[in-house]
Amino acid sequence: MADRISKESRSRNMRAIRSVSKLEDKIAKELWSKGVRYRRNVKDLIGKPDIAIKKYKIAIFIDSCFWHACPVHGNMPKSNTVYWEKKLERNVNRDREITDHYLKNGWYVKRIWEHEVKQDFDKVIEGIISFINDIKKQ
C-alpha cells in the first residue's frame, strides 16, 4: 500500500492513537466507583481484555463500531476498500477466535458495542454489574 504522506507524518499520526479509548475510561471509572475491582488491558491474557477479573475468569471487551465492523453502525471507507475489507474482516475473525478461546477455557466473556454505551450508559453499567454478580454467585 503506497502512503500519501511522509513516513514522519504517518509515525506522528500513529503515535497519537491511544490503545485505551475515552469510552473504556468512562466505563472503567464508573465500575470502580460502584465497587467493581478489575484489571485493565491485561497483557498476559489473549486479546488484552478491556476489563478482566481473573479470580472469576471474566473478560469484558468494549468494541468500537468501526474497528470491529458493527453490523448496525460499521461503515466501510470509500477509498482503499480492498485493504479495509480485509482489515476489518480479520478484526472480526480475531474477535471470534479470542471469544472462543476464553469460552473453551472456562471464562465468561461479555462484548459491548460502542453504540450501546452511547445509547444508554447506565443500562450498560448495570448489565456489566449484573453479569459479574451472576458469575460470582455460581
Side-chain angles (χ1 to χ4, degrees):
M1 175 178 113
D3 212 342
R4 297 177 199 203
I5 62 176
S6 71
K7 190 174 181 178
E8 294 78 22
S9 293
R10 174 65 60 213
S11 181
R12 188 172 49 253
N13 289 348
M14 297 308 285
R15 267 196 312 270
I17 298 171
R18 297 287 153 227
S19 65
V20 177
S21 72
K22 291 179 183 179
L23 206 56
E24 292 171 26
D25 281 340
K26 188 176 176 184
I27 290 171
K29 286 177 184 175
E30 186 66 20
L31 290 173
W32 196 269
S33 75
K34 294 190 179 290
V36 178
R37 298 300 176 246
Y38 55 82
R39 293 290 170 256
R40 290 182 65 189
N41 306 102
V42 183
K43 290 181 171 87
D44 65 339
L45 292 176
I46 291 176
K48 293 195 284 187
D50 299 311
I51 296 171
I53 306 172
K54 285 183 176 182
K55 179 178 180 180
Y56 298 107
K57 291 187 165 187
I58 296 172
I60 299 171
F61 296 91
I62 301 148
D63 295 337
S64 82
C65 289
F66 175 74
W67 289 108
H68 298 270
C70 170
V72 178
H73 296 103
N75 64 339
M76 187 63 59
K78 293 190 183 358
S79 64
N80 206 4
T81 53
V82 173
Y83 167 79
W84 284 110
E85 284 171 356
K86 281 177 57 178
K87 170 69 176 158
L88 297 177
E89 183 180 332
R90 177 64 189 128
N91 289 353
V92 170
N93 289 337
R94 186 181 313 112
D95 291 343
R96 198 174 300 119
E97 291 166 10
I98 289 168
T99 298
D100 290 346
H101 167 80
Y102 282 111
L103 294 175
K104 286 176 186 171
N105 288 291
W107 282 66
Y108 302 91
V109 178
K110 185 165 185 70
R111 287 194 170 270
I112 300 162
W113 285 109
E114 169 188 13
H115 70 263
E116 293 173 319
V117 178
K118 290 180 177 178
Q119 285 172 353
D120 194 342
F121 180 76
D122 294 331
K123 181 179 175 183
V124 168
I125 295 298
E126 291 307 314
I128 293 171
I129 292 171
S130 294
F131 177 73
I132 293 168
N133 288 336
D134 289 347
I135 292 165
K136 284 181 175 181
K137 291 176 188 173
Q138 294 179 2

